[in-house]
Amino acid sequence: MPELVFFSGTMDCGKSTLALQIEHNRSARGLQGVIFTRDDRAGEGKLSSRLGLVTEAVEAGVGMDLYAYVVAELEAGRKVDYLIVDEAQFLAPEQIDQLACAVDDLGLDVYAFGITTDFRTKLFPGSQRLIELADRIETLQVEAMCWCGARATHNARTVGGEMVVEGEQVVVGDVNRPAEEVGYEVLCRRHHRHRMTSVSESVTT
């Protein structure tokens, strides 16, 4: 039976790498899919991993009807066996509903990848809707690590190396950015609560 599967985890835990692996495995078996993404670190219409792998994708922009896009592809004679959706946390709830319709009405497997909560530990609307609708939720087993060595469970936004807790929910950035830029760092809950990043810790020691 086709499924809507949500693969979740913090930043830096291999979500995009797994998305690319699933695409490789299925295309090697002669299956064809559509890859959607939103605001990837590599730019518009790209699905990239921090290991340096990248492939072309369809940019799922604000207001785009993902279900209608797939139906148009099918009507044009293109074979579509599955959908892969990276950065799914950035999608609107109605776009998640469209993915569920692709499973139920078109019989497609949909593999969605995203982080669950933002830098304030609040659920992204897209992730919340996936939790509500997904047939299966998979937490990635590759554990990102906090600077202290503990398992990282939270995403922190940093400016100048200092953690910030206010601002727009979506600001595109990445881990390992220069300290003076807006970036992100994965932290354990304790250090997220105390707003202790790797930079702030190095200053105090």
Side-chain angles (χ1 to χ4, degrees):
M1 294 291 291
E3 288 185 304
L4 171 58
V5 186
F6 180 32
F7 294 90
S8 68
T10 62
M11 297 181 72
D12 215 19
C13 74
K15 296 182 301 300
S16 297
T17 301
L18 179 58
L20 288 163
Q21 184 66 55
I22 288 176
E23 161 64 14
H24 170 77
N25 290 350
R26 278 150 183 74
S27 62
R29 286 167 36 202
L31 302 176
Q32 297 180 31
V34 174
I35 302 174
F36 290 109
T37 190
R38 167 84 68 83
D39 292 336
D40 187 271
R41 68 185 72 85
E44 184 172 327
K46 302 289 184 183
L47 167 55
S48 67
S49 82
R50 292 188 181 86
L51 297 183
L53 305 172
V54 62
T55 192
E56 298 297 320
V58 177
E59 187 73 14
V62 176
M64 180 180 182
D65 188 326
L66 307 185
Y67 181 84
Y69 180 94
V70 175
V71 168
E73 290 289 287
L74 292 169
E75 290 177 344
R78 180 178 174 188
K79 181 183 178 185
V80 180
D81 298 302
Y82 60 89
L83 307 179
I84 290 175
V85 187
D86 200 28
E87 307 293 358
Q89 72 274 5
F90 295 146
L91 299 183
E94 56 267 27
Q95 291 176 310
I96 304 301
D97 288 354
Q98 293 158 12
L99 296 176
C101 288
V103 176
D104 297 340
D105 300 343
L106 303 178
L108 304 180
D109 283 312
V110 176
Y111 307 99
F113 300 80
I115 58 179
T116 308
T117 58
D118 64 15
F119 69 105
R120 301 164 300 185
T121 72
K122 304 297 184 183
L123 284 168
F124 281 100
S127 297
Q128 178 178 332
R129 193 61 178 146
L130 276 164
I131 292 169
E132 293 165 348
L133 292 183
D135 297 294
R136 185 159 48 95
I137 299 172
E138 299 282 350
T139 301
L140 268 68
Q141 298 303 307
V142 176
E143 293 186 353
M145 296 180 67
C146 178
W147 59 263
C148 70
R151 178 172 177 264
T153 54
H154 291 67
N155 306 293
R157 180 181 295 169
T158 60
V159 177
E162 296 295 323
M163 180 174 158
V164 296
V165 294
E166 295 182 355
E168 295 292 328
Q169 186 176 49
V170 178
V171 175
V172 178
D174 201 1
V175 297
N176 301 321
R177 285 287 183 89
E180 64 273 10
E181 297 182 11
V182 174
Y184 291 89
E185 184 174 346
V186 289
L187 301 173
C188 64
R189 184 181 62 237
R190 179 164 67 95
H191 286 131
H192 193 280
R193 287 179 53 243
H194 292 293
R195 303 186 189 181
M196 293 178 66
T197 67
S198 58
V199 172
S200 62
E201 170 61 13
S202 65
V203 170
T204 58
T205 57

PDB file of all heavy atoms in Angstrom, residues 13 18 31-33 37 59 62 73 86 118 136 141 144 146 159 164-165 170 172 179 199:
ATOM      1  N   CYS A  13      21.631  15.651  10.500  1.00  0.00           N
ATOM      2  CA  CYS A  13      21.488  14.232  10.841  1.00  0.00           C
ATOM      3  C   CYS A  13      21.304  13.350   9.606  1.00  0.00           C
ATOM      4  O   CYS A  13      21.022  12.164   9.732  1.00  0.00           O
ATOM      5  CB  CYS A  13      20.331  14.016  11.816  1.00  0.00           C
ATOM      6  SG  CYS A  13      18.698  14.164  11.073  1.00  0.00           S
ATOM      7  N   LEU A  18      19.676  10.824   2.960  1.00  0.00           N
ATOM      8  CA  LEU A  18      18.752   9.701   2.843  1.00  0.00           C
ATOM      9  C   LEU A  18      17.770   9.919   1.696  1.00  0.00           C
ATOM     10  O   LEU A  18      17.443   8.980   0.962  1.00  0.00           O
ATOM     11  CB  LEU A  18      17.992   9.492   4.153  1.00  0.00           C
ATOM     12  CG  LEU A  18      16.975   8.347   4.157  1.00  0.00           C
ATOM     13  CD1 LEU A  18      17.638   7.015   3.812  1.00  0.00           C
ATOM     14  CD2 LEU A  18      16.272   8.269   5.508  1.00  0.00           C
ATOM     15  N   LEU A  31      12.137   2.889 -11.558  1.00  0.00           N
ATOM     16  CA  LEU A  31      11.034   3.744 -11.133  1.00  0.00           C
ATOM     17  C   LEU A  31      11.387   5.210 -11.393  1.00  0.00           C
ATOM     18  O   LEU A  31      12.557   5.581 -11.417  1.00  0.00           O
ATOM     19  CB  LEU A  31      10.732   3.523  -9.655  1.00  0.00           C
ATOM     20  CG  LEU A  31      10.367   2.097  -9.250  1.00  0.00           C
ATOM     21  CD1 LEU A  31      10.192   1.990  -7.747  1.00  0.00           C
ATOM     22  CD2 LEU A  31       9.103   1.632  -9.966  1.00  0.00           C
ATOM     23  N   GLN A  32      10.349   6.029 -11.549  1.00  0.00           N
ATOM     24  CA  GLN A  32      10.561   7.450 -11.809  1.00  0.00           C
ATOM     25  C   GLN A  32       9.757   8.268 -10.809  1.00  0.00           C
ATOM     26  O   GLN A  32       8.595   7.945 -10.525  1.00  0.00           O
ATOM     27  CB  GLN A  32      10.145   7.812 -13.232  1.00  0.00           C
ATOM     28  CG  GLN A  32      10.968   7.113 -14.304  1.00  0.00           C
ATOM     29  CD  GLN A  32      10.537   7.497 -15.703  1.00  0.00           C
ATOM     30  OE1 GLN A  32      10.070   8.607 -15.944  1.00  0.00           O
ATOM     31  NE2 GLN A  32      10.679   6.567 -16.647  1.00  0.00           N
ATOM     32  N   GLY A  33      10.378   9.301 -10.295  1.00  0.00           N
ATOM     33  CA  GLY A  33       9.704  10.120  -9.300  1.00  0.00           C
ATOM     34  C   GLY A  33       9.859  11.599  -9.566  1.00  0.00           C
ATOM     35  O   GLY A  33      10.563  12.025 -10.481  1.00  0.00           O
ATOM     36  N   THR A  37      11.419  20.388  -3.393  1.00  0.00           N
ATOM     37  CA  THR A  37      12.170  20.954  -2.280  1.00  0.00           C
ATOM     38  C   THR A  37      11.769  22.409  -2.106  1.00  0.00           C
ATOM     39  O   THR A  37      11.110  22.992  -2.984  1.00  0.00           O
ATOM     40  CB  THR A  37      13.691  20.835  -2.514  1.00  0.00           C
ATOM     41  OG1 THR A  37      14.385  21.180  -1.303  1.00  0.00           O
ATOM     42  CG2 THR A  37      14.154  21.742  -3.631  1.00  0.00           C
ATOM     43  N   GLU A  59      11.148  23.309  -7.331  1.00  0.00           N
ATOM     44  CA  GLU A  59      10.975  24.223  -6.206  1.00  0.00           C
ATOM     45  C   GLU A  59       9.491  24.332  -5.861  1.00  0.00           C
ATOM     46  O   GLU A  59       8.678  24.769  -6.681  1.00  0.00           O
ATOM     47  CB  GLU A  59      11.536  25.602  -6.542  1.00  0.00           C
ATOM     48  CG  GLU A  59      11.549  26.590  -5.390  1.00  0.00           C
ATOM     49  CD  GLU A  59      12.614  26.293  -4.339  1.00  0.00           C
ATOM     50  OE1 GLU A  59      13.524  25.486  -4.605  1.00  0.00           O
ATOM     51  OE2 GLU A  59      12.519  26.876  -3.241  1.00  0.00           O
ATOM     52  N   VAL A  62       5.698  29.012  -2.558  1.00  0.00           N
ATOM     53  CA  VAL A  62       4.513  29.401  -1.796  1.00  0.00           C
ATOM     54  C   VAL A  62       3.298  29.398  -2.720  1.00  0.00           C
ATOM     55  O   VAL A  62       3.321  29.985  -3.798  1.00  0.00           O
ATOM     56  CB  VAL A  62       4.713  30.798  -1.172  1.00  0.00           C
ATOM     57  CG1 VAL A  62       3.438  31.242  -0.464  1.00  0.00           C
ATOM     58  CG2 VAL A  62       5.890  30.789  -0.204  1.00  0.00           C
ATOM     59  N   GLU A  73       1.716  16.293 -14.721  1.00  0.00           N
ATOM     60  CA  GLU A  73       2.802  15.451 -15.215  1.00  0.00           C
ATOM     61  C   GLU A  73       2.258  14.120 -15.750  1.00  0.00           C
ATOM     62  O   GLU A  73       2.665  13.645 -16.816  1.00  0.00           O
ATOM     63  CB  GLU A  73       3.808  15.183 -14.102  1.00  0.00           C
ATOM     64  CG  GLU A  73       4.628  16.387 -13.684  1.00  0.00           C
ATOM     65  CD  GLU A  73       5.631  16.791 -14.745  1.00  0.00           C
ATOM     66  OE1 GLU A  73       6.632  16.075 -14.915  1.00  0.00           O
ATOM     67  OE2 GLU A  73       5.393  17.815 -15.423  1.00  0.00           O
ATOM     68  N   ASP A  86      11.907  17.246   0.130  1.00  0.00           N
ATOM     69  CA  ASP A  86      12.891  17.663   1.129  1.00  0.00           C
ATOM     70  C   ASP A  86      12.527  19.046   1.662  1.00  0.00           C
ATOM     71  O   ASP A  86      11.803  19.794   1.011  1.00  0.00           O
ATOM     72  CB  ASP A  86      14.296  17.681   0.516  1.00  0.00           C
ATOM     73  CG  ASP A  86      15.391  17.637   1.572  1.00  0.00           C
ATOM     74  OD1 ASP A  86      15.150  17.075   2.664  1.00  0.00           O
ATOM     75  OD2 ASP A  86      16.493  18.146   1.314  1.00  0.00           O
ATOM     76  N   ASP A 118      11.402  24.573  15.096  1.00  0.00           N
ATOM     77  CA  ASP A 118      12.266  25.665  14.672  1.00  0.00           C
ATOM     78  C   ASP A 118      13.258  26.038  15.776  1.00  0.00           C
ATOM     79  O   ASP A 118      13.379  25.342  16.791  1.00  0.00           O
ATOM     80  CB  ASP A 118      11.423  26.878  14.238  1.00  0.00           C
ATOM     81  CG  ASP A 118      10.604  27.482  15.382  1.00  0.00           C
ATOM     82  OD1 ASP A 118      10.875  27.170  16.562  1.00  0.00           O
ATOM     83  OD2 ASP A 118       9.701  28.278  15.092  1.00  0.00           O
ATOM     84  N   ARG A 136       3.318   6.976   8.552  1.00  0.00           N
ATOM     85  CA  ARG A 136       4.461   6.498   9.335  1.00  0.00           C
ATOM     86  C   ARG A 136       5.421   7.654   9.557  1.00  0.00           C
ATOM     87  O   ARG A 136       5.648   8.461   8.655  1.00  0.00           O
ATOM     88  CB  ARG A 136       5.141   5.360   8.562  1.00  0.00           C
ATOM     89  CG  ARG A 136       6.268   4.671   9.261  1.00  0.00           C
ATOM     90  CD  ARG A 136       6.495   3.273   8.652  1.00  0.00           C
ATOM     91  NE  ARG A 136       6.545   3.267   7.204  1.00  0.00           N
ATOM     92  CZ  ARG A 136       7.687   3.330   6.499  1.00  0.00           C
ATOM     93  NH1 ARG A 136       8.843   3.417   7.119  1.00  0.00           N
ATOM     94  NH2 ARG A 136       7.653   3.289   5.168  1.00  0.00           N
ATOM     95  N   GLN A 141      18.201   7.708  12.445  1.00  0.00           N
ATOM     96  CA  GLN A 141      19.045   7.065  13.447  1.00  0.00           C
ATOM     97  C   GLN A 141      20.440   7.671  13.535  1.00  0.00           C
ATOM     98  O   GLN A 141      21.156   7.424  14.508  1.00  0.00           O
ATOM     99  CB  GLN A 141      19.158   5.569  13.145  1.00  0.00           C
ATOM    100  CG  GLN A 141      17.822   4.838  13.201  1.00  0.00           C
ATOM    101  CD  GLN A 141      17.128   5.001  14.544  1.00  0.00           C
ATOM    102  OE1 GLN A 141      17.713   4.736  15.583  1.00  0.00           O
ATOM    103  NE2 GLN A 141      15.885   5.459  14.510  1.00  0.00           N
ATOM    104  N   ALA A 144      22.880  13.589  15.342  1.00  0.00           N
ATOM    105  CA  ALA A 144      23.700  14.790  15.369  1.00  0.00           C
ATOM    106  C   ALA A 144      24.148  15.015  16.809  1.00  0.00           C
ATOM    107  O   ALA A 144      23.466  14.625  17.760  1.00  0.00           O
ATOM    108  CB  ALA A 144      22.894  15.981  14.861  1.00  0.00           C
ATOM    109  N   CYS A 146      25.657  17.613  19.895  1.00  0.00           N
ATOM    110  CA  CYS A 146      25.902  18.928  20.473  1.00  0.00           C
ATOM    111  C   CYS A 146      27.414  19.099  20.665  1.00  0.00           C
ATOM    112  O   CYS A 146      28.169  18.114  20.725  1.00  0.00           O
ATOM    113  CB  CYS A 146      25.171  19.032  21.801  1.00  0.00           C
ATOM    114  SG  CYS A 146      25.418  20.604  22.690  1.00  0.00           S
ATOM    115  N   VAL A 159      23.661  34.335  15.574  1.00  0.00           N
ATOM    116  CA  VAL A 159      24.150  35.537  14.900  1.00  0.00           C
ATOM    117  C   VAL A 159      25.429  35.940  15.613  1.00  0.00           C
ATOM    118  O   VAL A 159      25.414  36.186  16.816  1.00  0.00           O
ATOM    119  CB  VAL A 159      23.116  36.686  14.947  1.00  0.00           C
ATOM    120  CG1 VAL A 159      23.705  37.943  14.293  1.00  0.00           C
ATOM    121  CG2 VAL A 159      21.821  36.295  14.258  1.00  0.00           C
ATOM    122  N   VAL A 164      20.048  33.209  19.156  1.00  0.00           N
ATOM    123  CA  VAL A 164      18.932  34.149  19.184  1.00  0.00           C
ATOM    124  C   VAL A 164      17.625  33.365  19.258  1.00  0.00           C
ATOM    125  O   VAL A 164      17.539  32.238  18.768  1.00  0.00           O
ATOM    126  CB  VAL A 164      18.931  35.072  17.945  1.00  0.00           C
ATOM    127  CG1 VAL A 164      20.168  35.954  17.942  1.00  0.00           C
ATOM    128  CG2 VAL A 164      18.859  34.271  16.653  1.00  0.00           C
ATOM    129  N   VAL A 165      16.621  33.952  19.881  1.00  0.00           N
ATOM    130  CA  VAL A 165      15.341  33.264  20.057  1.00  0.00           C
ATOM    131  C   VAL A 165      14.166  34.074  19.524  1.00  0.00           C
ATOM    132  O   VAL A 165      13.019  33.738  19.757  1.00  0.00           O
ATOM    133  CB  VAL A 165      15.103  32.920  21.551  1.00  0.00           C
ATOM    134  CG1 VAL A 165      16.113  31.893  22.034  1.00  0.00           C
ATOM    135  CG2 VAL A 165      15.155  34.172  22.416  1.00  0.00           C
ATOM    136  N   VAL A 170      11.365  31.359   9.360  1.00  0.00           N
ATOM    137  CA  VAL A 170      12.185  30.812   8.280  1.00  0.00           C
ATOM    138  C   VAL A 170      13.216  31.846   7.857  1.00  0.00           C
ATOM    139  O   VAL A 170      12.881  32.897   7.315  1.00  0.00           O
ATOM    140  CB  VAL A 170      11.318  30.413   7.068  1.00  0.00           C
ATOM    141  CG1 VAL A 170      12.209  29.889   5.940  1.00  0.00           C
ATOM    142  CG2 VAL A 170      10.289  29.369   7.464  1.00  0.00           C
ATOM    143  N   VAL A 172      16.826  31.256   5.797  1.00  0.00           N
ATOM    144  CA  VAL A 172      17.654  30.204   5.221  1.00  0.00           C
ATOM    145  C   VAL A 172      19.096  30.380   5.673  1.00  0.00           C
ATOM    146  O   VAL A 172      19.672  31.460   5.589  1.00  0.00           O
ATOM    147  CB  VAL A 172      17.570  30.218   3.688  1.00  0.00           C
ATOM    148  CG1 VAL A 172      18.481  29.152   3.089  1.00  0.00           C
ATOM    149  CG2 VAL A 172      16.128  29.977   3.246  1.00  0.00           C
ATOM    150  N   ALA A 179      31.071  32.691  11.828  1.00  0.00           N
ATOM    151  CA  ALA A 179      30.380  33.112  13.059  1.00  0.00           C
ATOM    152  C   ALA A 179      29.635  34.427  12.901  1.00  0.00           C
ATOM    153  O   ALA A 179      28.619  34.658  13.557  1.00  0.00           O
ATOM    154  CB  ALA A 179      31.387  33.213  14.202  1.00  0.00           C
ATOM    155  N   VAL A 199      30.419  28.613  20.315  1.00  0.00           N
ATOM    156  CA  VAL A 199      31.187  29.860  20.364  1.00  0.00           C
ATOM    157  C   VAL A 199      31.113  30.483  21.744  1.00  0.00           C
ATOM    158  O   VAL A 199      32.128  30.894  22.311  1.00  0.00           O
ATOM    159  CB  VAL A 199      30.681  30.847  19.289  1.00  0.00           C
ATOM    160  CG1 VAL A 199      31.332  32.198  19.465  1.00  0.00           C
ATOM    161  CG2 VAL A 199      30.963  30.300  17.901  1.00  0.00           C
TER     162      VAL A 199
END
